Amino acid sequence: MNIDWSLLILAIGLALVFEGIPYFLFAEKMPLMLIRLAEQPPKFLRFIGLAAIILGLLIISFGRSLSL
């Protein structure tokens, strides 16, 4: 298995950009949002995490299909 390190680094950088956008745009509202998120049951958080994983995989699949 040969890992494309430049692609991995780009993916991590892009993930950090997307993670930072809400904190930059909604800095005043983020603490309340994080408190609300912390109050949610683990089952709900797992569902949100799974939905994000599936969405991410679909986006990756779509992106790869465009480069053929």
Side-chain angles (χ1 to χ4, degrees):
M1 185 168 135
N2 191 10
I3 296 175
D4 184 354
W5 290 103
S6 63
L7 184 60
L8 179 63
I9 291 169
L10 288 172
I12 292 170
L14 187 59
L16 289 172
V17 167
F18 283 122
E19 287 287 331
I21 288 172
Y23 293 96
F24 180 76
L25 294 178
F26 309 109
E28 295 82 14
K29 296 180 182 180
M30 284 306 292
L32 181 58
M33 180 62 71
L34 292 172
I35 290 171
R36 287 185 186 167
L37 196 56
E39 293 172 347
Q40 299 303 315
K43 188 175 181 178
F44 176 75
L45 297 176
R46 283 192 183 94
F47 173 77
I48 296 298
L50 180 61
I53 290 169
I54 292 170
L55 181 61
L57 290 173
L58 289 172
I59 291 170
I60 290 169
S61 176
F62 177 69
R64 289 182 60 102
S65 72
L66 292 177
S67 66
L68 293 176

